[in-house]
Amino acid sequence: MHSELLIVESDRKTRDLVSAFLTYQGYSTTVLSEKDDIFDTISSKPHRVMIADLPTLLARTPDILSKAWETSPDLVVIAYDQPDVGRTLPHNDRLLFIPKPLNLDELESVVMRAREYQALQVNTGQPSTSEDFPHFLCSTIIGRSRQMLSLFEMLEKVAESTATVLVQGESGTGKELAARAIHQLSSRSSKNFVPVNCSAIPDELLESELFGHVKGAFTGAYANRLGRFEMADKGTLFLDEIGDMKANLQVKLLRVLQSKEFEPVGSPRSQKADVRIIAATNKNLEELVSTRDFREDLYYRLSVIPITIPALRERREDIPLLINHFLGRFNHDKRRLVKGFSRESLEILRNYNWPGNVRELENLVERMVTLKENGFITPDDLPDRYLPCKETPRSVPSAPVTRTAVDEDLPLEGICLNSAVDAFENRLILQALQRTGGNKKEAASLLNLKRTTLIEKLKKKNLQLDQ
Ligand SMILES: Nc1ncnc2c1ncn2[C@@H]1O[C@H](COP(=O)(O)OP(=O)(O)OP(=O)(O)O)[C@@H](O)[C@H]1O
Ligand SMILES: [Mg+2]
């Protein structure tokens, strides 16, 4: 049991259904009717969420909301979405709506959104525990799928050791979040977490960036400079995009990993390195090892504990949870009142392939909240690329389209040409960007496009590769 939900409903059938459903979901519930003394219940035992038929309730007890929020400031009230209800109430983050007729999936997602809101409040105060918010790790990583729950366990276990970790996964799956969680859960959490993006720093600067330099080590080295290894002393160094590290630096990094010592550029003296290393890449390092683009010995040193974050399409049950999380956050940040995604639009997004993973989903929700401002997001609001193809005579599931369409023959049941072409294009663009470390000019040249055309496509498709 992880939450106290108060259900205020005079219709017994609805009351029983809602209560049974939420109890089954693991919430502890209290059930009242509008005639009961609700305020008495709230003041005797703090509740987290109240689900109520608000107009009826307000008609009986007009000041119920202000009184309730006085005693339980983070109480979230979920009201049925009825015409005019929103208009009579102040804009309030603690007020959420659920469409009528009641749909249990939607109810669950709104209750989760209420919990997200509370988690955010807790984030600003005391840290939450994962037991309190069972779909969270470190209040940042969200997931309820089997894969994510075992990832949470793995991250917690790994945090206890100081072994080097290699985090792999497609772009936007949450590799950096995972690295930060390991640091946060470790005994090093009071020291620095220092990220270095190996692909964003020019090769000639990376060595001094990592190890520091002494004054006069090279032209322009006017003073001693602290490297990231030293900044991460007794903390964690996050070597992001490690697959892009050039051969000469790979040798130097290997030496540091072996000897636990490093030398600032131009310094004859070596320094001790008490640093926990977490490396990440969205490239296939084993493949790079086989093509001799990555040193095998370094690969083994780094992958003492290998962790792979699954692609979002491999854990679709996390999609609604993530959508709700981002919805709550963007509504809050942008002062919007978007109530949610309609069932149809949720279904479409659940079946989409998500080549850009959680980052793509986050960007989509941000865009929807910005454009929509209020109400429910329907399939008409979604950009075309998310919509299943309309012109196919039979419905073609959207998930396999990306893979099969480009590599294989026309499937027996037919194919949606437009979405297959679109998915093929997205895949090649993302691959080109990945291969060039996000450099749009080089990626455009790989694709034989003008840079501006590529940029236009990225914008239109809402595709991006974070660096
Ligand atoms: N499980 C998750 N729960 C909540 N937010 C997530 C989750 N996974 C990813 N995100 C969000 O998605 C975005 C991308 O995450 P992150 O930067 O960790 O991905 P990445 O794997 O490092 O991506 P890249 O390969 O492009 O560097 C971030 O804004 C992050 O907060
Ligand atoms: Mg990253």
Side-chain angles (χ1 to χ4, degrees), residues 144-153 308 310-318:
R144 67 183 333 191
S145 57
R146 186 183 39 78
Q147 295 96 313
M148 287 305 277
L149 295 183
S150 58
L151 177 74
F152 291 174
E153 258 177 48
T308 302
L312 190 55
R313 66 185 156 281
E314 290 162 20
R315 45 179 167 112
R316 292 183 187 276
E317 57 272 48
D318 289 336

Side-chain angles (χ1 to χ4, degrees), residues 140-143 148 169-177 240-241 282 315 322 325-326 329 358-359 362 465-466:
T140 54
I141 313 187
I142 295 162
M148 287 305 277
E170 287 181 17
S171 168
T173 43
K175 296 184 292 296
E176 179 157 353
L177 272 191
D240 203 1
E241 314 291 357
N282 52 27
R315 45 179 167 112
L322 286 161
H325 167 73
F326 293 127
R329 199 173 88 200
V358 185
R359 178 176 295 105
E362 185 178 0
L465 192 78
D466 210 46

